Amino acid sequence: MSRPIMLVFLLVILIVTSQFEWRQPLLELDAAPSLSQKHQQIAKREEAVKEKIILSQERHIQRLNDLVRILQMQLQRCKGENETRNATETTHLNRQFIELERKHIVED
């Protein structure tokens, strides 16, 4: 009796281990799509992050362009004010020079 029991026991062990071996590749095949899905999700997240970064950089570039435009306008205004100031000073100096010449001519 011990021999048939031992054979049955070995047969059961053989069947159970073969089931595990057959199921393991099936589990690996089942895991492969989930890994692929995870990779796709990760790729989508990375793409979304890249797009957000690009949009943020575009906003910063637009702000910088606006600042450059404002600074250029301020520079033009300053140049215009300086030209006006220089013209006024030149006119004033010319008047003073003419007055000095007149005084000099009158004194001579």
Side-chain angles (χ1 to χ4, degrees):
M1 267 252 194
S2 74
R3 203 170 211 188
I5 292 175
M6 185 65 132
L7 286 174
V8 170
F9 180 72
L10 287 174
L11 184 61
V12 168
I13 290 177
L14 181 64
I15 290 171
V16 169
T17 56
S18 67
Q19 287 296 320
F20 284 133
E21 289 175 6
W22 289 343
R23 287 186 186 239
Q24 189 174 9
L26 290 177
L27 291 175
E28 288 175 2
L29 289 176
D30 290 343
S34 66
L35 285 176
S36 176
Q37 289 173 349
K38 286 181 183 178
H39 287 297
Q40 288 175 350
Q41 289 174 348
I42 290 170
K44 286 180 183 178
R45 286 184 199 148
E46 288 176 350
E47 192 66 29
V49 168
K50 287 178 184 177
E51 286 183 25
K52 286 180 182 178
I53 291 171
I54 289 171
L55 289 174
S56 174
Q57 288 176 341
E58 286 176 351
R59 274 186 257 126
H60 286 114
I61 289 170
Q62 184 61 40
R63 286 183 196 149
L64 289 172
N65 285 335
D66 291 342
L67 289 173
V68 166
R69 187 175 36 79
I70 290 168
L71 288 172
Q72 286 174 336
M73 289 170 45
Q74 289 176 352
L75 179 64
Q76 290 300 322
R77 257 188 273 139
C78 288
K79 283 181 179 178
E81 289 173 7
N82 283 341
E83 288 173 3
T84 303
R85 217 178 274 145
N86 287 343
T88 303
E89 288 174 2
T90 302
T91 304
H92 182 68
L93 288 174
N94 283 339
R95 285 182 190 157
Q96 285 179 345
F97 181 73
I98 292 170
E99 286 177 19
L100 286 174
E101 280 186 339
R102 285 181 189 165
K103 285 182 184 179
H104 184 67
I105 292 174
V106 171
E107 291 177 359
D108 287 338

